[in-house]
Amino acid sequence: MVLGLDVGSSYTKGVVFDGGINSKIVFKTSFKPRQAIERALHELKGYDTVVATGFGRELVVSAGKMITEISAFARGALFFESSIRTVIDIGGQDSKIIKVKDGRVDRFIMNDRCAAGTGNFIEKIAQALGLTLAEFGELAVQADRAEIVDSLCVVMAETEILSLVGEGKRIEDIVAGVCDALVRRIDGIGSQIGIEEPILFCGGGALNPGLVKSMRRIFKKVIIPEDAQFVGAIGAALSI
Amino acid sequence: MFENIAPQKIDLRQWSTQFRLLEDTDIKQFKYYGNDEWGVYLSPPATFMVYGARELKKLKFDNSLSALRLWGFAFNESERLFRARQSGKHIVAAMGDLGTVPVITMSFPECVPFYPDCTWWTPFFNESTVLLDKASELGTPEGSCFVRSTLAAFHKMAYFPKPDILFASTGASCDDYSCIMQMVEDMGYELNWLEIPYRRHRKDYHVEERYTKTAHGFEYPERFETYLVDEYKRVWHKMKQLTGTDDTERLKQSINKNNRLRRLTHEIRELTHNANIAPYPGLEMMVIEFGNLYGYADIDEWLNILSMVKETILGRIEKGLGVLRPDAIPLAWVTPTADPLLLNIVEDLGGRVVATEYVINQALVEIDEEIDPFVALARSFMDASMIGSTEERIRNITTGVDSGKVAGVIISNMLGCSHCAMETRLIEEKLKRVPVLAIDVPGPLGITEQLRTRIAAFLEMLR
Amino acid sequence: MNDILTPRERFGLLVIDERPDRCNIMPLVTSHAATVKDMKLRDYYTNGENMARAQIAALEKYGHDAISIFSEVGIIAEAMGSVFEYPENDLPIQRVPALKKKKIDELTIPNPKTTARLPVYLEAIEYAYDALGDKVPILVYIPAPFTTGMMLSEPNEFLMQTIKEPVQIERILAKSLDAAIELCYHTIDAGGLPIIVDPLASSSVISPKAYKQYALPYERRLIDYLHRYDLDVILHICGETTPIVNLLPETHADLISIDRVSMSDTIEEISGKLRLIGNYDTSQLAFSSPDVITHEVTEMVRQSKNAAKGYIAATGCEVPTQAPAENLIAFVNAAKETGWYWV
């Protein structure tokens, strides 16, 4: 059995895999990747070898193999659904848009410079509105309509949103607007390589019902796997 | 020396260990300008690191004696220029021209050409913002590229001596650099400007003119040649005024010597790019390609070094040895990276450079020795990478792609370089049939884990 | 005048015989730096990061041109077996010299990465180099073989042996040389520029004859080793150097740092052959006033700045820990003012 370990900047995800998920673990990396790796290696049992991916992959000294998140997400996504053409991962600190063709990566693009295209955008805005991430997601799905949030920069968006609050707009519609803004940003970045559908949406972002709704609003065919957060870890395990 | 050590890339500490094997007499045999007192340049990377080139702590180098010579010589250039000045030579700054002005200036006795614009590497080798900050303080446009460190170097006069004469190209040349040179002129330096024509071909115009072709097969109006001849004759005249000599026979000799350099560089490039296993690393090859422009201020010694490099490469090819894994992924590299570390990273992650477009391909073209030397120079320059269309610029890359020699293309996109910003997307567009990775080269110490991941993923994708 | 160059650029020009914007200013700010950070001396010389941080703080405060990595001249001897005590607020004091317990043959060449306080130096160099190695030279004071040799022995016994048992002395010096070379090797790989200090070879301690016979040849061999790297080597001898000044070019040093000599005589004797560093009286820094220091340093720099192969304004010896900050600031400012070269 293979342990696929995805040491992300926000969360560490581990999957013991033998054709299907045998056991899994997920917890915050908390800026301590070495400790997170130790914990995953210790708590998960029954594996023979480790394949590491994610920003902390090089710290997994016991790894039999290392692959980048790009390859891992593509592989993992194809495991869930072989017909997909694009993988969109919205992570805590970066986002990835990967086009797949004939079972392999065709082109990819990463957004790692600016928080606006990452899960961090949602976290910052939730913070400004005094909401937990869970509350934020729940409110977004209750929206009647999405308010227009134009700013692509977190700092600017914060001001814009506070002014919408001041104007008495419904909080549900505002947060839905925030989710739309993020997905539009992803769409914009993805236009450089040309997003094709069906899309598999994964990563921590896929756990947010508001973002899922926005993805489905902006794109037509969006698949969200059951273990959306574990796509990278599964892909790593599959690459052995 | 070191022939029996298996070829590989080693770091600074490993070089220090290997350097201990050299006898004092080995070290002292490599001199420039034939000088014994200060002319020795065979030093390990640690020496240059101690004097501030901090990135050397991170870089990996070829472990041959030829590479040690090559690095020592390249890093010694600053001192060499000051010593040249102290020993009475004329220092000639040839800026933005990329290949021809040095050939002319080398025709005059005791004249040493160099490129102040090459200071753009200094902030990266030093992992330092000293020059870039100073350039900003001196008022360089915020959006200009790393070549702005040249302005700071002119202000500080600690990286090269004050040139006796300065030539600078404008027109179909790098616009950031051109802007910086205008600021250098405002500092009180007298600049001799050369206007470089844009190489347009007949499709674009309907006027009745005669067209001709360069060695690479690029078409251009014949009158550009006459125009460039006049520009180069102005350079000649200025040099005549500076030195008091006027002997066109020496120009022919200079062309002959530079042709030797160009042939040697071409051969080394072909051998390296076509060998089964990479016999020499990409970073050293970039140093070699740029040396082709002016021989690092001592063309005679540079020729000796290149002969040694060629021997190393031939020896390795013969034994079937190299410095990268045999299954390294063949890549083309477009636009030289300001941060040398990127070339190392790409190789460490499994890539290998087998084709380059470092905007200086004109310096690989031999100059015709059978015709009037000025016409020959003009004709060779019309092959320049930067003066034509994007399609022409990357023709050798597309050839490599089409022949299956190149599996992927890396474009270094320099932060702040307006030329890059425009052209990178165009090149990507033109190379659609092959995977392309455009890297935004960040400032000193700016390479992030994400950038490494992007390169690694690109290579995984190609594998 | 405002500085145009960084200390690194300034030193770089000096060593290739070019005039920088102003003369380099390198008072020997060694353990004095601990006081800038209100650090106990023991915390300074037993912890590399502390040493580097204090040096950086001193540099920011005084505005001189070099980092100085140094605690005391026993550092190599200690690594070879001499026993030192570490007083909380004083420099290490030797208690038992190595050769009290060991025979010469038993002396081994220490590994600087692991032995005694040598790793403190390496750690300090790396920290300082990472912090500002692009802007400032990191000078690392390496005791010369003669000084280490004497620190390995009872000083009087050692001096007697120079007369009675020269063979034994040569064996000790050969080992000390190897140990110094090893430390230099690691110093360079960490980013430091070794400078050779040989205070126990000054004429305050030994005769010019003994200097010529025992100290100079080993200084030269160590300097020749550094010349393999094409590094420019500073030799510092504090104390009385007048009787040996004319011998100094034979050491092959590129820069000579001198203490109690007449600067004008020295300039006349050797300035055509060597770059000069010196030589302000450090007791003045401890006990005099900024006005007097300004006057005297101005005079020193005026007299020395045009030495043929270049000049670095410095103190003749280490800056005392108790020297008031305003005195050092006066030193540096006066040297900056008078040491300007460019028009």
Side-chain angles (χ1 to χ4, degrees):
Chain A
M1 282 198 288
V2 185
L3 165 57
L5 189 56
D6 178 2
V7 188
S9 51
S10 298
Y11 284 87
T12 297
K13 288 83 61 178
V15 166
V16 179
F17 194 82
D18 57 354
I21 295 176
N22 187 290
S23 52
K24 61 187 179 188
I25 190 171
V26 57
F27 53 86
K28 277 207 162 186
T29 308
S30 304
F31 300 106
K32 289 174 185 155
R34 279 198 176 79
Q35 286 177 20
I37 291 161
E38 277 305 305
R39 182 176 162 195
L41 293 175
H42 180 72
E43 290 189 16
L44 288 167
K45 311 278 181 207
Y47 54 88
D48 311 304
T49 183
V50 182
V51 181
T53 187
F55 100 108
R57 64 187 178 281
E58 287 183 20
L59 301 174
V60 186
V61 281
S62 57
K65 191 175 175 183
M66 250 179 269
I67 62 167
T68 62
E69 303 89 292
I70 303 295
S71 305
F73 273 87
R75 243 174 233 269
L78 287 164
F79 168 77
F80 284 107
E81 177 55 60
S82 60
S83 68
I84 54 137
R85 300 299 308 274
T86 307
V87 186
I88 294 180
D89 158 60
I90 300 182
Q93 301 299 326
D94 66 10
S95 298
K96 299 173 257 303
I97 304 160
I98 308 158
K99 272 180 77 174
V100 289
K101 195 174 165 188
D102 304 328
R104 49 185 299 175
V105 177
D106 181 36
R107 300 185 76 179
F108 68 91
I109 194 156
M110 291 167 79
N111 173 48
D112 48 38
R113 289 242 190 91
C114 164
T118 73
N120 196 261
F121 182 67
I122 302 279
E123 282 187 39
K124 286 278 183 310
I125 302 295
Q127 225 170 35
L129 292 170
L131 300 170
T132 65
L133 275 181
E135 289 164 348
F136 185 98
E138 288 309 319
L139 282 170
V141 285
Q142 292 163 26
D144 299 327
R145 53 183 287 257
E147 288 296 339
I148 305 288
V149 177
D150 279 331
S151 306
L152 291 177
C153 161
V154 175
V155 183
M156 303 290 280
E158 260 188 57
T159 321
E160 193 180 345
I161 286 154
L162 292 176
S163 85
L164 288 172
V165 173
E167 286 167 28
K169 305 284 186 193
R170 286 183 71 216
I171 191 80
E172 292 85 345
D173 300 347
I174 295 173
V175 293
V178 171
C179 292
D180 274 11
L182 173 52
V183 175
R184 276 204 309 274
R185 172 84 178 138
I186 294 285
D187 192 23
I189 298 162
S191 68
Q192 289 180 45
I193 57 168
I195 293 177
E196 287 178 42
E197 299 184 16
I199 295 165
L200 186 130
F201 178 35
C202 59
L207 300 180
N208 183 318
L211 268 182
V212 171
K213 198 171 171 190
S214 290
M215 282 291 288
R216 292 204 157 119
R217 195 156 40 224
I218 290 166
F219 301 105
K220 286 186 194 78
K221 290 185 203 155
V222 181
I223 297 160
I224 292 136
E226 199 178 318
D227 287 299
Q229 220 178 346
F230 295 92
V231 170
I234 292 167
L238 281 164
S239 76
I240 196 76
Chain B
M1 188 51 75
F2 306 148
E3 289 89 356
N4 298 323
I5 298 176
Q8 59 172 321
K9 283 164 69 183
I10 58 175
D11 66 17
L12 176 138
R13 282 171 201 257
Q14 288 169 300
W15 246 125
S16 295
T17 309
Q18 201 173 293
F19 189 77
R20 284 186 144 183
L21 302 173
L22 289 172
E23 300 288 338
D24 289 358
T25 45
D26 296 329
I27 297 169
K28 286 183 181 150
Q29 64 178 308
F30 302 113
K31 302 168 200 151
Y32 58 89
Y33 305 148
N35 179 287
D36 281 320
E37 193 195 344
W38 37 249
V40 176
Y41 63 83
L42 196 78
S43 310
T47 294
F48 303 105
M49 190 265 281
V50 164
Y51 279 123
R54 300 200 291 177
E55 197 174 58
L56 301 190
K57 254 190 178 179
K58 291 185 189 145
L59 291 175
K60 283 191 190 144
F61 317 88
D62 185 273
N63 68 339
S64 64
L65 185 61
S66 62
L68 186 69
R69 264 184 96 176
L70 175 139
W71 279 114
F73 198 68
F75 272 112
N76 186 268
E77 182 182 323
S78 177
E79 173 171 351
R80 189 159 51 249
L81 288 168
F82 280 106
R83 296 302 191 188
R85 176 56 164 278
Q86 289 165 11
S87 58
K89 294 179 194 291
H90 295 295
I91 307 298
V92 182
M95 297 170 289
D97 131 271
L98 305 179
T100 314
V101 169
V103 182
I104 301 172
T105 61
M106 279 182 213
S107 318
F108 292 85
E110 302 292 316
C111 284
V112 176
F114 81 109
Y115 281 92
D117 8 357
C118 284
T119 313
W120 87 323
W121 273 298
T122 308
F124 294 91
F125 274 122
N126 290 2
E127 291 186 335
S128 174
T129 58
V130 164
L131 286 173
L132 297 171
D133 293 346
K134 177 52 79 180
S136 301
E137 216 179 279
L138 293 167
T140 48
E142 287 148 355
S144 63
C145 94
F146 307 120
V147 78
R148 68 185 188 273
S149 38
T150 310
L151 181 71
F154 268 103
H155 173 74
K156 284 170 171 276
M157 276 304 138
Y159 296 81
F160 45 77
K162 189 173 177 188
D164 295 288
I165 190 162
L166 297 95
F167 297 101
S169 302
T170 187
S173 182
C174 162
D175 48 356
D176 291 291
Y177 134 83
S178 205
C179 155
I180 298 302
M181 286 311 129
Q182 289 173 37
M183 298 177 78
V184 169
E185 194 168 34
D186 286 348
M187 273 180 179
Y189 289 91
E190 188 188 329
L191 258 67
N192 298 285
W193 292 96
L194 282 84
E195 174 105 18
I196 304 296
Y198 174 71
R199 183 182 59 224
R200 58 180 167 77
H201 47 83
R202 66 178 70 227
K203 263 192 294 186
D204 306 318
Y205 276 76
H206 305 286
V207 287
E208 291 293 317
E209 345 186 57
R210 284 160 60 86
Y211 282 77
T212 185
K213 276 185 182 174
T214 69
H216 282 150
F218 304 138
E219 253 187 322
Y220 63 95
E222 221 172 53
R223 68 184 176 87
F224 283 10
E225 219 168 79
T226 327
Y227 171 78
L228 264 181
V229 164
D230 285 347
E231 291 295 272
Y232 292 148
K233 282 196 170 158
R234 273 199 307 123
V235 173
W236 184 267
H237 183 69
K238 285 281 174 190
M239 289 302 295
K240 192 173 111 186
Q241 284 179 328
L242 176 74
T243 61
T245 56
D246 180 17
D247 181 359
T248 42
E249 267 315 299
R250 291 185 64 117
L251 177 58
K252 289 180 188 164
Q253 288 160 13
S254 172
I255 288 176
N256 181 273
K257 192 184 277 184
N258 276 280
N259 273 344
R260 264 194 288 147
L261 172 60
R262 290 172 180 213
R263 273 194 297 274
L264 198 46
T265 309
H266 182 72
E267 279 175 63
I268 289 172
R269 207 163 164 258
E270 290 293 304
L271 284 168
T272 309
H273 291 169
N274 294 320
N276 288 333
I277 305 174
Y280 227 56
L283 183 51
E284 277 80 355
M285 286 302 296
M286 185 170 85
V287 175
I288 288 170
E289 282 205 36
F290 276 86
N292 209 29
L293 295 176
Y294 66 116
Y296 291 111
D298 179 358
I299 188 172
D300 295 310
E301 186 60 16
W302 182 241
L303 276 163
N304 293 335
I305 293 169
L306 287 192
S307 300
M308 197 186 208
V309 169
K310 189 178 151 191
E311 266 176 53
T312 305
I313 291 171
L314 283 172
R316 287 173 176 182
I317 292 174
E318 199 176 300
K319 291 181 196 152
L321 298 172
V323 289
L324 303 178
R325 42 198 268 196
D327 65 345
I329 296 162
L331 302 168
W333 198 297
V334 178
T335 308
T337 166
D339 194 337
L341 188 57
L342 277 174
L343 268 163
N344 256 219
I345 291 173
V346 166
E347 286 187 342
D348 287 351
L349 293 170
R352 170 189 173 185
V353 179
V354 297
T356 55
E357 207 310 291
Y358 287 160
V359 296
I360 52 169
N361 284 355
Q362 68 281 359
L364 291 164
V365 176
E366 276 191 56
I367 306 158
D368 193 340
E369 293 184 42
E370 302 297 321
I371 57 172
D372 173 80
F374 287 101
V375 175
L377 284 172
R379 207 166 279 177
S380 79
F381 187 78
M382 284 314 295
D383 249 320
S385 299
M386 272 184 87
I387 65 170
S389 68
T390 303
E391 197 166 345
E392 286 177 344
R393 189 184 152 199
I394 56 161
R395 192 174 288 177
N396 77 321
I397 302 293
T398 37
T399 313
V401 169
D402 292 342
S403 66
K405 188 179 143 192
V406 169
V409 179
I410 291 185
I411 310 175
S412 4
N413 189 20
M414 244 51 69
L415 215 66
C417 165
S418 46
H419 188 69
C420 289
M422 303 286 280
E423 211 174 14
T424 299
R425 293 298 288 271
L426 290 173
I427 295 172
E428 273 187 276
E429 198 62 30
K430 301 230 179 279
L431 288 171
K432 261 194 168 153
R433 54 193 179 275
V434 66
V436 177
L437 177 73
I439 301 171
D440 289 337
V441 180
L445 279 166
I447 295 177
T448 57
E449 198 46 49
Q450 282 95 338
L451 183 52
R452 276 176 198 270
T453 297
R454 208 177 304 152
I455 297 168
F458 181 69
L459 292 166
E460 277 176 0
M461 186 177 98
L462 296 178
R463 194 167 284 284
Chain C
M1 298 293 271
N2 288 329
D3 287 353
I4 294 174
L5 303 179
T6 63
R8 170 74 79 197
E9 292 161 344
R10 192 170 291 122
F11 187 66
L13 284 180
L14 173 80
V15 295
I16 57 167
D17 304 311
E18 289 287 325
R19 283 273 153 91
D21 54 349
R22 61 164 170 79
C23 74
N24 283 261
I25 302 168
M26 298 180 174
L28 279 58
V29 180
T30 50
S31 48
H32 170 89
T35 64
V36 177
K37 282 292 239 185
D38 280 333
M39 205 179 268
K40 299 272 186 231
L41 277 177
R42 186 164 61 200
D43 295 334
Y44 178 82
Y45 59 73
T46 58
N47 181 310
E49 192 179 320
N50 282 351
M51 190 184 277
R53 284 175 48 236
Q55 279 292 325
I56 293 166
L59 200 81
E60 278 167 9
K61 185 165 181 177
Y62 303 132
H64 52 293
D65 289 331
I67 291 282
S68 291
I69 302 300
F70 182 61
S71 67
E72 90 299 330
V73 292
I75 188 102
I76 293 180
E78 183 187 35
M80 292 174 87
S82 293
V83 178
F84 280 71
E85 196 180 284
Y86 304 151
E88 189 181 43
N89 228 344
D90 205 346
L91 290 169
I93 298 167
Q94 178 162 278
R95 287 298 172 219
V96 189
L99 289 169
K100 269 273 167 207
K101 304 177 296 174
K102 290 181 175 178
K103 297 200 174 80
I104 299 173
D105 287 343
E106 289 166 354
L107 291 174
T108 53
I109 308 308
N111 177 352
K113 284 186 169 172
T114 52
T115 317
R117 278 178 302 128
L118 299 181
V120 172
Y121 272 35
L122 298 183
E123 197 192 341
I125 299 165
E126 294 207 350
Y127 189 98
Y129 189 83
D130 279 351
L132 37 70
D134 62 324
K135 301 184 193 77
V136 185
I138 318 288
L139 307 182
V140 184
Y141 298 38
I142 310 283
F146 189 85
T147 289
T148 297
M150 200 187 283
M151 297 297 292
L152 288 165
S153 326
E154 288 286 3
N156 287 338
E157 224 169 88
F158 187 81
L159 292 175
M160 286 299 285
Q161 277 184 323
T162 57
I163 300 160
K164 290 182 177 169
E165 292 184 82
V167 178
Q168 300 292 76
I169 289 292
E170 296 280 356
R171 286 172 63 210
I172 297 172
L173 291 173
K175 293 244 182 188
S176 304
L177 173 67
D178 287 347
I181 284 178
E182 208 51 33
L183 180 55
C184 284
Y185 174 81
H186 284 88
T187 291
I188 294 165
D189 266 5
L193 178 65
I195 81 169
I196 311 305
V197 290
D198 211 354
L200 301 184
S202 84
S203 306
S204 319
V205 184
I206 56 169
S207 69
K209 190 173 163 235
Y211 173 77
K212 195 172 179 181
Q213 191 174 352
Y214 296 109
L216 188 148
Y218 289 91
E219 287 169 353
R220 183 165 56 216
R221 282 163 70 180
L222 185 53
I223 291 165
D224 284 348
Y225 171 78
L226 294 169
H227 280 166
R228 283 169 55 88
Y229 282 82
D230 197 28
L231 294 173
D232 299 277
V233 187
I234 297 173
L235 172 65
H236 172 75
I237 302 181
C238 44
E240 178 60 69
T241 36
T242 308
I244 55 170
V245 123
N246 58 351
L247 291 173
L248 295 179
E250 290 179 36
T251 64
H252 294 173
D254 305 279
L255 305 97
I256 287 289
S257 167
I258 38 178
D259 191 3
R260 272 170 259 151
V261 294
S262 148
M263 206 54 171
S264 53
D265 290 353
T266 310
I267 288 171
E268 205 162 292
E269 292 237 16
I270 59 168
S271 72
K273 298 172 188 156
L274 292 167
R275 299 177 190 99
L276 300 180
I277 306 177
N279 69 338
Y280 192 64
D281 181 355
T282 46
S283 58
Q284 288 290 84
L285 277 182
F287 304 115
S288 190
S289 68
D291 284 350
V292 174
I293 292 167
T294 300
H295 176 75
E296 290 177 352
V297 170
T298 301
E299 186 51 30
M300 172 184 82
V301 174
R302 195 193 54 72
Q303 190 183 92
S304 316
K305 68 183 265 198
N306 293 322
K309 283 185 74 75
Y311 167 70
I312 296 179
T315 49
C317 197
E318 288 180 79
V319 172
T321 45
Q322 72 269 34
E326 58 269 26
N327 284 2
L328 254 157
I329 291 168
F331 176 99
V332 173
N333 287 347
K336 279 188 180 173
E337 183 84 8
T338 318
W340 193 261
Y341 290 118
W342 289 0
V343 284

